[in-house]
Amino acid sequence: MDLNLKKDRNVRRKPSIDVSSLVYGKIPPQAKELEEAVLGAVMLEKGAFDTVIEILKGECFYVEAHQIIFSAMTRLAGKSMPVDILTVTEELKSMGQLEQIGGPFTVMKLTNMVVSSANIEAHARIILQKFIQRELIRISGEILTESYEDTADVFDLLDSAESKLFEVTNNHLRKNYDSIDRVLVNTMKRIEDLRNKGDDITGVPSGFPSLDKVTYGWQPTDLIIIAARPSVGKTAFALNLARNAALHPRFARGAAVFSLEMSSGQIVQRILSAESEIKLEKISRGKLEEYEMKKLMTHGIERLAKAPIFIDDTPALNIFELRAKCRRLVHNHGVGVIIIDYLQLMSGSADGKGNNREQEISKISRDLKGLAKELQVPVIALSQLSRDVEKRKDGNKMPQLSDLRESGAIEQDADMVMFLYRPEYYEINTNEMGESNKGETHVRIAKHRNGQLDTIKLRAVLEFQRFEDDGSLENPGGGGNPFTGISRPQQGGGGNDEAKLYIQKGSKMNDMDFDEGFEDAPF
């Protein structure tokens, strides 16, 4: 009997196991004490809420009661009321959530956690850091779960993951304000650089001197809308802009073309037609004479061999995919201008499902403007016009800002809105003097946030998919660009093996290698 008792005592004396090593879950990143300190400081000192609201949102708090209290504070601030213990308590009562957070004692206890708001900004940033960590854990868990599903498309998963991560960045990591002295230094440096440059073009050249005289080139961070009725020549004009920028001797950056309407092959055929002065119809059908084939090789392919033009023909491209692709193009290839053909074919959501089409277009235009600011490059988006132009009874078919299709937000978000108008499109074949106006194209700048409004006349030679400064048809082609006056830099080599454009096909399989996704496609 004694022996058994002794054995029992020995069992009891065994050291206890550390249970922390057996815990399967992990506590999410959090800072409860700092949350209490921030909320308490806001109720103690006037103006503290203004500091916090620039950093935090209600969802950033880990404790649900703290989220509710911060929501009450936000409502008070929205009504221009003071934020203190009494007002917060009353607001929680009116919201019917006072008892849910633990009653008035919980609100009063928060002010005991802090003496002043001296370090409130640092505390708020730590809370934000913990929230972002929790969001990354949540998103990673969702991606992990979805990745195990056999029915999930891997590229849809990539798009979803990228859009979720971008949403965290876009909603919670915002740029702070700059003091004027700091901005002045950068502004004066830019002015000095432009002054020493001695060139009227301060942005990306369009290749049309009469247009550059008004715009000074496409400016970084600008969203430019080019709108017209179907078959007026929007795509041809946009491709002229891409080609002129990429081949300009003083503009060393490339152009990206996102074509939602045509395939990359059709786009390249149009560029070849404009460069070689061979009719697009003959190139498309392959009905070329021997001398035309030689001309295509020497005046088309050879010149375009090293042109930094990047083409993506992914159909139904959404704004999340576009943003990701543009970032890689700018970062990896130094692209200096982005062209989208055309805006109404884009999708505003990653799943391709939108609620109201007008709201979706509004979101797309806002995001395109944000993209231009983020990447510091001009974004040129083509847009369709509504049929209201055709319904006018006064005979004036020149497009107006109100004719932009599907959303007035396009007009608001754009830094520049340009309309293409060809009189012969409406069977007006002579001008006021009775002279033929074949190919005459009016480029009307209807909105210019940072410059003057004007109408520039160009001439469309659509059989060659090209636009020219009005009156320059007499200038024959051959060496260089006949409608811009730009002389091409000599391209090395002369064989077909060097004739390459950078093309990303519509298949998302090409996105697997982000550094080499824009594969070289030999002709």
Side-chain angles (χ1 to χ4, degrees):
M1 188 69 171
D2 293 337
L3 184 61
N4 290 336
L5 286 173
K6 188 174 181 181
K7 286 181 180 178
D8 289 342
R9 290 191 190 99
N10 289 338
V11 170
R12 292 189 192 103
R13 287 195 192 101
K14 287 182 180 179
S16 59
I17 300 173
D18 182 9
V19 294
S20 63
S21 63
L22 300 178
V23 176
Y24 293 102
K26 294 183 179 179
I27 300 175
Q30 56 186 282
K32 291 183 183 179
E33 295 81 4
L34 292 180
E35 290 181 11
E36 293 172 348
V38 165
L39 294 174
V42 168
M43 290 187 287
L44 277 179
E45 295 198 23
K46 183 179 179 181
F49 181 79
D50 295 334
T51 301
V52 173
I53 197 62
E54 288 186 2
I55 303 169
L56 299 177
K57 296 181 179 180
E59 62 195 38
C60 297
F61 291 87
Y62 178 73
V63 180
E64 184 180 1
H66 297 166
Q67 292 181 8
I68 297 171
I69 293 170
F70 191 77
S71 176
M73 292 176 174
T74 304
R75 291 178 52 154
L76 287 169
K79 294 184 282 189
S80 299
M81 293 179 64
V83 180
D84 55 34
I85 296 176
L86 298 178
T87 57
V88 170
T89 302
E90 288 300 315
E91 187 64 27
L92 287 168
K93 279 184 184 178
S94 67
M95 294 166 59
Q97 293 181 306
L98 182 60
E99 297 305 320
Q100 185 178 342
I101 60 100
F105 175 74
T106 301
V107 180
M108 193 186 324
K109 187 176 68 173
L110 292 173
T111 57
N112 296 327
M113 302 299 298
V114 65
V115 177
S116 74
S117 63
N119 300 318
I120 191 170
E121 184 174 349
H123 294 165
R125 294 197 182 281
I126 294 173
I127 294 171
L128 177 61
Q129 176 185 325
K130 299 297 181 185
F131 167 74
I132 291 175
Q133 287 178 274
R134 293 198 299 273
E135 283 296 282
L136 291 176
I137 292 170
R138 178 184 64 80
I139 291 170
S140 300
E142 291 177 359
I143 294 170
L144 189 64
T145 302
E146 292 170 357
S147 298
Y148 276 107
E149 296 291 335
D150 292 334
T151 57
D153 183 277
V154 66
F155 299 105
D156 289 340
L157 290 177
L158 287 172
D159 291 338
S160 174
E162 193 161 23
S163 63
K164 287 175 181 177
L165 290 172
F166 175 78
E167 191 175 347
V168 173
T169 304
N170 193 47
N171 292 342
H172 301 285
L173 294 178
R174 296 187 174 274
K175 184 179 181 291
N176 206 347
Y177 55 79
D178 287 324
S179 61
I180 191 169
D181 59 337
R182 189 173 175 181
V183 179
L184 276 172
V185 172
N186 295 331
T187 302
M188 288 306 299
K189 183 178 184 304
R190 172 173 167 76
I191 293 173
E192 192 66 28
D193 290 342
L194 293 174
R195 185 167 174 264
N196 295 333
K197 185 179 178 183
D199 194 340
D200 290 337
I201 301 176
T202 59
V204 180
S206 71
F208 303 105
S210 56
L211 184 57
D212 286 335
K213 189 176 180 180
V214 179
T215 64
Y216 303 104
W218 314 120
Q219 301 300 316
T221 76
D222 275 5
L223 172 61
I224 300 108
I225 300 294
I226 300 175
R229 291 292 292 150
S231 301
V232 170
K234 294 189 300 297
T235 300
F237 184 66
L239 293 179
N240 276 219
L241 298 180
R243 185 168 61 96
N244 295 346
L247 295 175
H248 198 283
R250 295 189 301 276
F251 180 68
R253 301 177 69 183
V257 178
F258 290 88
S259 175
L260 287 81
E261 188 175 30
M262 299 183 188
S263 69
S264 57
Q266 292 172 319
I267 292 294
V268 170
Q269 287 176 5
R270 287 170 172 248
I271 296 174
L272 280 172
S273 176
E275 187 66 25
S276 64
E277 300 180 49
I278 298 174
K279 291 182 180 181
L280 175 62
E281 181 184 1
K282 301 189 80 172
I283 293 177
S284 300
R285 296 173 60 195
K287 302 295 184 180
L288 299 176
E289 302 294 338
E290 188 63 31
Y291 77 93
E292 289 175 322
M293 277 300 296
K294 290 180 180 178
K295 188 178 182 182
L296 185 67
M297 295 296 296
T298 56
H299 295 299
I301 293 177
E302 191 173 320
R303 287 180 187 160
L304 292 171
K306 296 181 181 179
I309 300 174
F310 303 87
I311 303 170
D312 188 307
D313 63 0
T314 305
L317 189 69
N318 64 57
I319 193 65
F320 301 106
E321 292 173 320
L322 176 72
R323 187 184 290 114
K325 291 171 185 285
C326 288
R327 281 174 176 161
R328 293 196 293 270
L329 280 166
V330 172
H331 181 265
N332 296 337
H333 301 284
V335 161
V337 60
I338 296 165
I339 297 172
I340 301 157
D341 182 17
Y342 58 91
L343 190 149
Q344 279 82 7
L345 289 179
M346 288 191 66
S347 171
S349 56
D351 57 6
K353 299 177 182 178
N355 298 324
N356 181 286
R357 183 57 180 167
E358 184 174 342
Q359 294 175 353
E360 190 175 17
I361 292 294
S362 299
K363 182 182 185 305
I364 291 170
S365 67
R366 284 195 305 272
D367 288 345
L368 289 180
K369 174 58 184 174
L371 181 66
K373 287 188 67 177
E374 177 191 344
L375 299 180
Q376 294 288 302
V377 299
V379 173
I380 301 174
L382 307 190
S383 176
Q384 291 282 21
L385 291 176
S386 68
R387 290 191 180 92
D388 292 343
V389 181
E390 319 291 343
K391 297 176 183 177
R392 292 199 192 108
K393 297 179 181 179
D394 58 0
N396 180 15
K397 305 297 185 182
M398 178 67 77
Q400 302 172 2
L401 289 172
S402 58
D403 296 326
L404 285 170
R405 185 174 165 187
E406 288 184 321
S407 177
I410 299 174
E411 172 190 345
Q412 298 169 18
D413 297 328
D415 296 280
M416 185 184 300
V417 178
M418 302 169 59
F419 296 115
L420 300 186
Y421 166 75
R422 283 195 296 118
E424 64 177 322
Y425 182 83
Y426 297 101
E427 299 182 354
I428 303 172
N429 300 315
T430 57
N431 58 21
E432 298 84 354
M433 307 296 293
E435 300 169 338
S436 173
N437 58 5
K438 180 176 175 57
E440 182 180 304
T441 303
H442 300 239
V443 181
R444 183 192 173 209
I445 302 176
K447 178 184 178 182
H448 194 182
R449 199 188 301 275
N450 301 309
Q452 62 180 339
L453 306 181
D454 205 346
T455 299
I456 293 95
K457 282 189 180 182
L458 302 177
R459 190 166 296 276
V461 189
L462 294 183
E463 60 182 357
F464 297 145
Q465 292 296 296
R466 144 182 130 196
F467 283 78
E468 307 173 349
D469 266 315
D470 196 24
S472 64
L473 278 175
E474 292 78 10
N475 182 10
N481 192 329
F483 58 96
T484 63
I486 300 171
S487 58
R488 301 294 196 288
Q490 292 297 318
Q491 307 292 346
N496 189 25
D497 56 332
E498 288 199 14
K500 299 176 183 178
L501 283 178
Y502 300 90
I503 299 172
Q504 181 169 5
K505 295 295 293 174
S507 170
K508 295 181 181 179
M509 185 63 72
N510 291 329
D511 282 346
M512 291 177 65
D513 187 344
F514 292 142
D515 290 330
E516 300 177 359
F518 288 78
E519 58 182 338
D520 292 338
F523 292 102

